[in-house]
Every structure is written in structure tokens, then in C-alpha cells.
Amino acid sequence: MIEIGLTGWSDHGTITPDPKRKLMDYASHFPVVELDTSFYAIPPGKNVARWIESTPADFQFIPKAYGPLTTHSRRAEETRSLDELFTLYIEAFRPMVESSKVKAFLFQFPPLFSCVRENVDYLRKVRQIMGDWPVAVEFRHKSWFSEEFREGTLQFLKEMQFINVVVDQPQTPDNSIPFVPVATNPDKTFIRLHGRNYEGWLGDDSVDWRTFRTLYDYSAEELATIKEAALALEKDSKEVTIIFNNNSGGHAAPNAKTLQKMLGIEFEGLAPRQLHLFE
């Protein structure tokens, strides 16, 4: 099975025009969404409850791990211990897991998280703490898939039952990994598409790189290569989930729709479309 979704539901005006029902409108188009707000803060229970209630029974989320849980820099006001943060994060999302609305938790590690013993041990800790909950791992340091460590990395991900996040992004010197279309979990594999804006990924301080980074419109030819990779991965993993993160210019939703058409798939169990008079 192949599913397609986007990062967040607020930045896609072509499919979520009504500011009062963005998530509901989103859920009428796609069956899964990456929840990126949880990277910046652990959400309160009322928010999680609202997201569960606002979506169809089969709709699923991919909550991103809170930044400190993936060794990203802490804000000055964040003084809670790592163990406490893990506990709070797990308790926040327990209702979503128990409602079968979590596809997997996305642990995206920063460019400084290289392939060294200390970080391998940290990944073991993540698995121990997260228990049997599904965890997808995305690296940003090229050492994990270097010639020296590639096979060891893939074998380790398999042993830990981690989901390999197959990343499509520009091949910049310091913050990217190659496209490695290998399934490490028999149940789930993710393909995460960041676009191919090389200049944006360099992180030039002279521009607003956070919004410029994902400014990219995939061509039909490029989407065709993603299609073939997804079909190949489907042979080794029951579910292949493709997430478009090229949000800056509003290209994610149209690109996702194009790929869906190319794959010839229809999503079941979506929310009903809102009727707009005089369209």
C-alpha cells in the first residue's frame, strides 16, 4: 500500500481554503499528515484530543519528536530533564496511539548527529523509551550512509525495528544524506521529499533560509523517479508513506496530487469534501 501526505495542514491554500477547518479540509484529500508543530513544543492534551476528533477514523498522524529529544538545541527557557521530556511527550500522544491514529513518530536528527558510538547508544535509548511504538529515523549527517557505515546503519535500523526515512534533498556538503531507498521495517517505510533547492539548503544567513529551503516544484520526470522508488519499496514493506515537505511555495499539495494520479491510487475513508456554493 502506498499513501501520500504533506507536512502540516496550514500551508496548503489550494486544499485548505477555510481557516476555520483546515485540518478537516486537509483530511478530505489525504489520509496522513506529518505533525510538525510537536517539534517546537509538546502539545497540550486538548490539542491532541481536538486533532483526533477532527479527523476520520482511519486518518493518521506522523508526530515529529520534540527538538530536545533528537538532540536539537534547546531554547533557553527549556530546563526540564531529557527523561522528563520523554515522559511528557509520550503521555501527550498516548491517546492518539490508543486511537490507532499514529502512523509512526518521526525522529529527525540534526546535521551534527554523526555516526559515532555515543549517538548509536542514544538511538538504543530512544528505542528503549519508545517501547514498541513505531519510530521513523531521519539522519542529516552523511556519515550514516558513507561507504564505511552504510551497511552497518541499515542493519542497525533493522535490528531496532526503526523505519528508515528515505530522504530526497539537495546534496549539500554539511547537512544532507543520499537517497537510500531501502526498507528496514517490514511494516512501514517513509519517503520524505524536501525538494531540491540547493541554495536554500546551504543555509545562507543573508536570506530567510527557513522559508526558502523548501521552495521547490518537482517536475513530472522527478516525480516519476519517486514513483518507481515507492513501487520498489512496496515489495519489501507493507506500507510506503510519501510525505511532501516542499511547502515554501505552495507546491507540496499539487505535487502530491500529481504523484497520486501517476500511481493511480484512490484514498479511502477520507473526510467528506465541503460544498462551496456558486463555484
Side-chain angles (χ1 to χ4, degrees), residues 1 7 50 64 71 83 119 133 143 171 178 181 195 198-199 275:
M1 179 178 70
T7 298
R50 184 174 69 251
K64 201 170 183 179
T71 73
D83 287 343
N119 291 336
W133 287 5
S143 60
Q171 296 303 293
Y198 186 88
E199 296 298 326
L275 297 178

Side-chain angles (χ1 to χ4, degrees), residues 84-215:
E84 183 180 1
L85 291 176
F86 262 110
T87 298
L88 292 171
Y89 183 85
I90 288 171
E91 289 309 308
F93 282 104
R94 188 177 300 280
M96 188 176 280
V97 172
E98 293 175 348
S99 300
S100 299
K101 280 184 166 289
V102 171
K103 174 74 69 176
F105 291 92
L106 172 62
F107 277 65
Q108 177 197 298
F109 291 92
L112 293 177
F113 191 83
S114 60
C115 186
V116 295
R117 173 60 60 185
E118 177 185 0
N119 291 336
V120 171
D121 289 343
Y122 186 77
L123 287 167
R124 293 184 188 278
K125 178 177 180 176
V126 168
R127 171 45 74 205
Q128 180 181 12
I129 293 174
M130 297 300 288
D132 59 358
W133 287 5
V135 172
V137 172
E138 178 175 337
F139 298 114
R140 286 288 170 82
H141 195 283
K142 60 184 177 181
S143 60
W144 294 95
F145 292 114
S146 64
E147 184 176 350
E148 180 181 5
F149 295 125
R150 183 182 189 275
E151 293 308 314
T153 294
L154 292 171
Q155 183 58 38
F156 176 74
L157 293 176
K158 290 178 181 178
E159 290 174 359
M160 294 292 104
Q161 296 184 325
F162 285 137
I163 300 162
N164 178 39
V165 178
V166 181
V167 179
D168 185 76
Q169 63 184 124
Q171 296 303 293
T172 50
D174 301 318
N175 61 352
S176 68
I177 61 170
F179 191 77
V180 183
V182 178
T184 58
N185 184 296
D187 295 321
K188 298 179 176 71
T189 297
F190 288 176
I191 301 177
R192 203 157 173 254
L193 307 175
H194 299 294
R196 301 178 183 181
N197 184 349
Y198 186 88
E199 296 298 326
W201 275 82
L202 289 177
D204 186 348
D205 292 336
S206 65
V207 298
D208 183 7
W209 62 270
R210 291 185 184 277
T211 55
F212 182 58
R213 171 176 284 183
T214 60
L215 180 60

